[in-house]
């Protein structure tokens, strides 16, 4: 996994949480994926409150300092968070695009989501 400092881990998780909440529906698959990433990033459960309290705009500043490889992995995590419920919502894609453009991540959602999975999703 990508090597991140604690604030960068919180920032990654905050953006993933924003994606979860973007469509107004929280699916258990979204929560499962989020918790999986929190474990992979080694963020203790007691620190997850910091994620919910983090300011998304300030998190973008943290993410802007990631390396190219870290940004690429971040884009992949965002893409996976978007498709995990098999629905690609316009608000979720807007967050993906905003993070990518703000942080200098030159990756399109279709680049991080397998074509067969992308085609199997509904669009709302």
């Amino acid at each position: 996994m990508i090597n991140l400092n604690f604030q960068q881990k919180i920032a990654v998780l905050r953006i993933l949480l924003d994606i979860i909440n973007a469509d107004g529906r929280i699916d258990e698959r979204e929560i499962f994926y989020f918790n999986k990433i929190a474990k992979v990033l080694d963020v203790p459960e007691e620190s997850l409150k910091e994620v919910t309290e983090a300011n998304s705009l300030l998190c973008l500043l943290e993410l802007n300092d990631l390396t190219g490889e870290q940004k690429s992995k971040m884009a992949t995590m965002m893409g996976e968070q978007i498709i995990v419920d098999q629905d690609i919502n316009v608000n979720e894609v807007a967050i993906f695009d905003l993070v990518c453009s703000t942080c200098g991540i030159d990756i399109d959602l279709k680049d991080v989501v397998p074509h067969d999975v992308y085609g199997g999703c509904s669009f709302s």
Side-chain angles (χ1 to χ4, degrees), residues 1 27 35 41 64 71 94 113 120:
M1 191 55 169
D27 184 283
N35 289 331
L41 293 176
N64 195 43
K71 288 178 180 182
V113 176

Side-chain angles (χ1 to χ4, degrees), residues 2-122:
I2 53 178
N3 185 24
L4 302 172
N5 67 39
F6 182 75
Q7 289 305 317
Q8 291 169 330
K9 292 176 184 181
I10 295 299
V12 166
L13 292 173
R14 177 68 235 189
I15 298 303
L16 295 180
L17 188 61
D18 289 341
I19 290 171
I20 290 171
N21 291 311
D23 63 4
R25 296 176 309 240
I26 299 175
D27 184 283
E28 64 186 45
R29 293 169 289 189
E30 293 173 314
I31 299 300
F32 179 81
Y33 180 78
F34 176 85
N35 289 331
K36 175 184 166 186
I37 295 300
K39 286 181 183 175
V40 168
L41 293 176
D42 197 28
V43 174
E45 197 169 317
E46 58 271 10
S47 296
L48 292 181
K49 184 176 182 195
E50 290 183 53
V51 174
T52 62
E53 294 174 349
N55 181 295
S56 298
L57 295 176
L58 294 176
C59 288
L60 287 175
L61 290 174
E62 284 290 334
L63 297 175
N64 195 43
D65 291 335
L66 298 180
T67 67
E69 181 183 351
Q70 291 169 324
K71 288 178 180 182
S72 177
K73 185 59 180 169
M74 174 67 192
T76 299
M77 288 185 286
M78 288 189 299
E80 290 171 350
Q81 185 70 69
I82 289 170
I83 63 159
V84 72
D85 63 352
Q86 299 179 332
D87 177 65
I88 299 173
N89 179 270
V90 65
N91 295 329
E92 296 169 339
V93 176
I95 291 171
F96 179 93
D97 290 342
L98 176 68
V99 171
C100 288
S101 65
T102 302
C103 297
I105 303 172
D106 189 25
I107 297 175
D108 187 80
L109 180 61
K110 290 182 181 179
D111 295 333
V112 296
V113 176
H115 179 71
D116 58 326
V117 174
Y118 189 88
C121 289
S122 61

